């Protein structure tokens, strides 16, 4: 791997084909420049998640219609979306931002020393977050925040979070608790203590307990890539409860189970319960909303692993193996 920076070039993790982490390499790429409504950011840290793995491997195959049929398109040659760092330069039409400002958000190819992104995808991170914590928030945090908000979680409601210890789940537990709900977390036996520290009022062991083990019905069920049958998930909802399907990891190489979430959304108009296929939006305004909640101390990203830039493959493999408890972050370059 080339670990030496050239003048006018930045280091980036790149892939020339779809596959596992063995085909990732560090390369020198030309420094990007911001255009209208964009900022150039020196990346301090970048988070990785299951989405990073899906883009790297080109799975499900259906996703290649957008990523590139045979090889990753130019936008996806460098993996990663979350980042935190400092503003290096601003393009025209970018009020409210200046060189040196701390920033976090999303960009195409965040596993690089420099990224260019739209001002509509960034926000000022809470001052008490580390660079790694700020990098951990955007994608998973937006997914959790938008799902909780969209489901209308309110004080006094019962919320079931299936898949509560991963990147999205550990933030969803905290956000639902902060909204005043009574939260039941479903996780593996090794994550039960974490779920309680996050604020879950009750914990179910996914390897042993049925979803109806508490003998109650839930106003909201967040299903985060659990691959449980839709009938089982609906069975623990109240008559007019809301099921939010957030990702899936089964169903073969073609759709990876995406059709299960789509089927739930198509069924929704014909039943009393509300069934939602959640698709998050990378909006700086929503990230700022989330940051305001984080600033109160009610929510905090949990960092499971921080890998150095040259070991980005190790971080991605850790996530792909299902070992992550909270977020996995790659340290890209020092930002102070």
């Amino acid at each position: 791997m080339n670990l030496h920076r050239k003048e006018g070039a930045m280091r980036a993790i790149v892939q020339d084909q779809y596959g596992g982490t063995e085909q990732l390499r560090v390369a020198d790429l030309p420094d990007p420049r911001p255009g209208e409504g964009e900022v150039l950011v020196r990346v301090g840290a970048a988070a990785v998640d299951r989405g990073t793995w899906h883009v790297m491997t080109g799975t499900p195959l259906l996703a290649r219609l957008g990523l590139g049929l045979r090889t990753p398109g130019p936008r996806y040659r460098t993996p990663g979306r979350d980042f935190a760092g400092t503003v290096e330069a601003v393009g025209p039409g970018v009020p409210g931002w200046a060189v040196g400002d701390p920033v976090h958000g999303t960009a195409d190819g965040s596993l690089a020393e420099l990224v260019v992104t739209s001002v509509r995808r960034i926000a000022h991170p809470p001052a008490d977050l580390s660079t790694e914590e700020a990098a951990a928030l955007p994608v998973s945090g937006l997914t959790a925040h938008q799902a909780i908000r969209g489901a209308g979680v309110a004080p006094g409601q019962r919320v079931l979070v299936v898949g509560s210890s991963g990147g999205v789940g550990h933030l969803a537990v905290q956000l639902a608790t902060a909204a005043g709900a009574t939260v039941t977390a479903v996780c593996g036996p090794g994550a039960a203590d974490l779920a309680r520290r996050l604020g879950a009022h009750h914990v179910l062991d996914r390897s042993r307990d049925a979803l109806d083990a508490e003998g109650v019905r839930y106003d909201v069920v967040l299903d985060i890539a659990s691959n449980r049958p839709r009938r089982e998930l609906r069975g623990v909802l109240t008559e007019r409860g809301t099921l939010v399907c957030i990702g899936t990891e089964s169903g073969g190489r073609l759709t990876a189970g995406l059709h299960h979430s789509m089927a739930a959304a198509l069924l929704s108009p014909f039943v009393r319960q509300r069934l939602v296929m959640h698709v998050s939006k990378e909006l700086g305004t929503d990230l700022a909303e989330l940051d305001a909640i984080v600033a109160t101390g009610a929510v905090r990203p949990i960092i499971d692993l921080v890998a150095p830039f040259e070991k980005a493959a190790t971080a991605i493999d850790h996530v792909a193996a299902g070992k992550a408890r909270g977020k996995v972050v790659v340290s890209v370059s020092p930002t102070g």
Side-chain angles (χ1 to χ4, degrees), residues 42-45 84-88 100-103 125-134 331-336:
R42 182 160 298 280
V43 178
T86 55
V87 175
E88 187 90 349
D101 283 349
V103 60
D128 65 337
L129 291 188
S130 68
T131 301
E132 291 77 17
E133 288 173 322
S331 178
V332 179
S333 59
T335 59

Side-chain angles (χ1 to χ4, degrees), residues 268-289:
S268 188
F270 305 100
V271 297
R272 290 190 175 186
Q273 293 166 332
R274 182 174 169 231
L275 314 179
V276 180
M277 174 183 170
H278 181 71
V279 179
S280 63
K281 298 178 177 63
E282 297 177 3
L283 299 174
T285 50
D286 280 6
L287 184 55
E289 280 186 10

Side-chain angles (χ1 to χ4, degrees), residues 154-216:
Q157 289 189 326
R158 290 185 175 270
V159 175
L160 181 71
V161 181
V162 186
S164 61
S165 61
V168 174
H170 89 284
L171 293 168
V173 169
Q174 296 178 76
L175 286 165
T177 302
T182 298
V183 178
T184 297
V186 181
C187 59
D193 288 342
L194 171 62
R196 293 187 181 94
R197 290 200 306 271
L198 295 172
H201 301 83
H202 310 282
V203 179
L204 299 180
D205 184 338
R206 71 181 179 207
S207 66
R208 184 187 65 218
D209 299 324
L211 293 187
D212 60 359
E214 289 192 286
V216 299

Side-chain angles (χ1 to χ4, degrees), residues 48-127:
V48 297
D49 52 27
R50 291 293 299 190
T52 309
W53 182 86
H54 281 299
V55 172
M56 181 187 71
T57 58
T59 57
L61 296 178
L62 190 64
R64 297 194 187 190
L65 294 176
L67 300 176
L69 292 178
R70 296 185 178 275
T71 59
R75 288 179 58 193
Y76 304 103
R77 191 177 175 219
T78 295
R81 299 195 73 75
D82 300 89
F83 72 84
T86 55
V87 175
E88 187 90 349
V90 275
V94 182
W97 291 94
V99 172
D101 283 349
V103 60
H104 70 158
T106 64
D108 299 329
S110 62
L111 286 173
E113 290 180 319
L114 295 168
V115 294
V116 164
T117 191
S118 168
V119 70
R120 294 189 295 272
R121 296 169 65 180
I122 60 175
H124 298 274

